[in-house]
Amino acid sequence: MTSPEPTADQSLTSVEYRMREAGAWLQLEDGVIENLIAPRRVLEVSIPIRRDDGTRVRFTGWRVQHNITRGPGKGGIRYHPSVNREETVSLAAAMSLKTALMNLPLGGAKGGIAVDPKLLSPRELERVTRRYVSEIFAFLGPDKDVPAPDVGTNAQVMAWVMDQYSIGIGHAVPGVVTGKPLALGGSLGRDSATGRGVVEAASLACQTRGTSIEGKRIVIQGFGNVGMWAARLAVGWGARIVGVSDVGGVIASEKGLDVDALVIAKQQGIESVVDAGVGEVIARGVEHSADVFALPSDIALPCALGDAIDAREAGLLTAKYVIEGANGPLTPAADDVLNDRGVIVVPDIFANAGGVTCSYLEQCQNYAHLQWDEDEVNASVVSTMRSAFKRLHAFSEEHSLSYRRAASVLGVKALADAHQLRGLHP
Ligand code: NAD
């Protein structure tokens, strides 16, 4: 199979291509892979709200339950101007593969609104969130579909989701959402979980080559929840963060950026790392954000949005390991370029699964009305990542498959097995 031609909606093309490739490798019966690729349910909703100045405005939102054969839907809610149906379907499909690969008893879902949250006041953001939840209310529930934060949403947004849903049900339902504040039944360790998993994935990949991340030079695209925590934890492991980029541009330091100073500047509300006064600003503007991968480095962590690295960016990338913190940051064409150069790519459906693993632990705590301590949660996230990597690495070695292909095959196989066992209704 050759890589698909890039299209406007590369992310959907990529996940379909990878699932189809896995289905062919598994020699699934006719029609099975098409059934697994097709989303089970796609809901498009209109979200009218009144702005603070009294005028009306309308946004469009989606909630997609891609696969719910193995358990309730699970996936984030994204607020970003570029959110659309195809992207939401592709992110939901990736969640189906991720929960299957990680052996979590959950399905795959995703939601989002095409809106720039930075252009809304906090009260407008709350109104948008509440109206969105009321529109998708019938879809949600601890046993049906459980959202979480993603790009542009946070614990406060999850608190509004929980409240709006609970009002409809008539009592508090903390388990309808994960990534919520601790005071509402959130889990300790959730903030850092995705970044922790990304660093663990980098460490596991290095270990298979007889090395560690200590002393390694790391470049990161995206300094939000995932990128920031990955940077903090990697520094704790003795790595050097030599470049960081985000919507504002790229900063770099050969000696290693002062990550603590960057974190403080972020907490003080800077828009972009280029405004932090840390390291050297080597480019300004979102169009240069991928230039960070051209800096001399050992490990690259794309932790921003999908399709960040296509064949061109892959050609410039200097790292020997790429760990996908974001969902879908590499196109299949980029995979081909990096594969040919012997670069080890650890795919998103494993590398950023620390987040959904911790979300699952949050669901378990909510079901049991318990709160586990932070060390227990962190240890459980790490041990789940290690077990999944053991299976992934062994399968990749046994069948001489890249981690990408091995992960897709294992994910698709778990979904196909579940479908086969449950049978086809009617
Ligand atoms: P976030 O909103 O906290 O941060 C996003 C970061 O990416 C910001 O630094 C922003 O400046 C940067 N960014 C946005 N658009 C960009 C662009 N076009 N070019 C360069 N940089 C850009 O989001 P997050 O929660 O850190 O999520 C980042 C990625 O990780 C997303 O792909 C998300 O789906 C994925 N992910 C997140 C979690 C989680 O727990 N938060 C879990 C799994 C996967």
Side-chain angles (χ1 to χ4, degrees):
M1 250 174 147
T2 52
S3 302
E5 288 299 314
T7 65
D9 255 303
Q10 177 74 59
S11 55
L12 185 55
T13 316
S14 302
V15 74
E16 280 193 17
Y17 168 78
R18 286 170 182 148
M19 288 183 79
R20 214 165 259 127
E21 195 184 50
W25 191 91
L26 287 162
Q27 300 184 330
L28 294 180
E29 262 178 57
D30 264 4
V32 172
I33 196 63
E34 295 307 326
N35 190 19
L36 295 181
I37 286 171
R40 180 65 63 87
R41 296 175 185 140
V42 181
L43 182 60
E44 179 173 302
V45 294
S46 183
I47 305 161
I49 63 145
R50 213 177 274 287
R51 297 207 70 148
D52 292 344
D53 64 6
T55 58
R56 282 166 187 264
V57 60
R58 193 189 73 82
F59 303 102
T60 305
W62 293 266
R63 186 70 191 173
V64 176
Q65 289 170 358
H66 177 264
N67 191 295
I68 45 174
T69 303
R70 299 175 57 264
K74 189 84 197 84
I77 297 176
R78 180 174 290 196
Y79 290 175
H80 192 276
S82 69
V83 166
N84 58 57
R85 182 192 186 279
E86 285 70 26
E87 182 192 69
T88 312
V89 170
S90 82
L91 291 166
M95 287 303 296
S96 302
L97 293 177
K98 194 181 299 182
T99 54
L101 175 69
M102 297 304 289
N103 205 15
L104 301 173
L106 302 169
K110 202 80 182 187
I113 304 177
V115 62
D116 186 345
K118 290 195 209 80
L119 302 182
L120 298 180
S121 72
R123 289 175 58 96
E124 290 168 343
L125 194 64
E126 178 175 352
R127 286 200 282 274
V128 164
T129 302
R130 289 186 181 280
R131 184 63 192 245
Y132 171 65
V133 172
S134 68
E135 295 296 339
I136 64 170
F137 180 81
F139 263 49
L140 299 182
D143 296 316
K144 293 190 206 170
D145 185 0
V146 182
D150 193 75
V151 175
T153 57
N154 54 24
Q156 176 59 72
V157 174
M158 298 306 114
W160 292 326
V161 172
M162 182 255 178
D163 184 65
Q164 191 64 29
Y165 182 80
S166 299
I167 287 169
I169 293 292
H171 59 83
V173 189
V176 69
V177 78
T178 59
K180 54 194 172 284
L182 281 178
L184 294 176
S187 178
L188 289 160
R190 179 62 186 85
D191 254 14
S192 62
T194 308
R196 186 178 305 283
V198 169
V199 175
E200 188 62 35
S203 161
L204 290 164
C206 287
Q207 277 171 34
T208 61
R209 271 73 189 172
T211 176
S212 79
I213 66 171
E214 193 179 342
K216 294 277 188 303
R217 296 162 303 168
I218 297 184
V219 291
I220 306 179
Q221 185 191 42
F223 203 71
N225 173 280
V226 181
M228 185 179 75
W229 273 106
R232 288 172 79 169
L233 294 165
V235 166
W237 284 65
R240 261 184 301 151
I241 311 300
V242 294
V244 171
S245 73
D246 65 8
V247 280
V250 188
I251 59 170
S253 163
E254 228 180 288
K255 289 193 304 217
L257 293 163
D258 182 344
V259 171
D260 286 343
L262 265 183
V263 171
I264 290 168
K266 271 294 272 196
Q267 284 162 350
Q268 286 170 347
I270 54 157
E271 274 287 301
S272 162
V273 291
V274 298
D275 303 321
V278 173
E280 186 192 346
V281 177
I282 60 166
R284 281 185 189 272
V286 67
E287 66 279 15
H288 294 294
S289 143
D291 294 358
V292 75
F293 299 120
L295 293 169
S297 70
D298 304 300
I299 301 175
L301 307 180
C303 298
L305 293 182
D307 300 333
I309 305 181
D310 203 355
R312 189 191 77 84
E313 291 79 18
L316 301 173
L317 191 139
T318 62
K320 287 276 162 277
Y321 300 85
V322 178
I323 319 294
E324 293 188 315
N327 283 311
L330 266 64
T331 65
D335 271 347
D336 290 346
V337 172
L338 296 176
N339 244 336
D340 289 348
R341 289 182 32 211
V343 175
I344 294 160
V345 174
V346 183
D348 49 4
I349 59 171
F350 169 71
N352 68 33
V356 71
T357 302
C358 192
S359 277
Y360 166 65
L361 300 175
E362 185 174 329
Q363 289 177 272
C364 293
Q365 292 169 78
N366 293 155
Y367 271 122
H369 303 283
L370 289 173
Q371 184 155 74
W372 301 340
D373 71 39
E374 189 161 2
D375 288 346
E376 193 177 351
V377 173
N378 292 345
S380 197
V381 168
V382 167
S383 76
T384 306
M385 295 287 299
R386 287 184 186 163
S387 308
F389 188 75
K390 219 171 170 178
R391 294 193 296 274
L392 176 61
H393 182 69
F395 194 78
S396 128
E397 291 279 292
E398 185 184 345
H399 299 288
S400 300
L401 294 173
S402 66
Y403 288 143
R404 166 91 63 209
R405 279 184 140 201
S408 303
V409 169
L410 287 171
V412 167
K413 182 171 183 329
L415 294 176
D417 288 351
H419 276 244
Q420 170 72 20
L421 286 165
R422 282 187 56 169
L424 191 60
H425 168 81

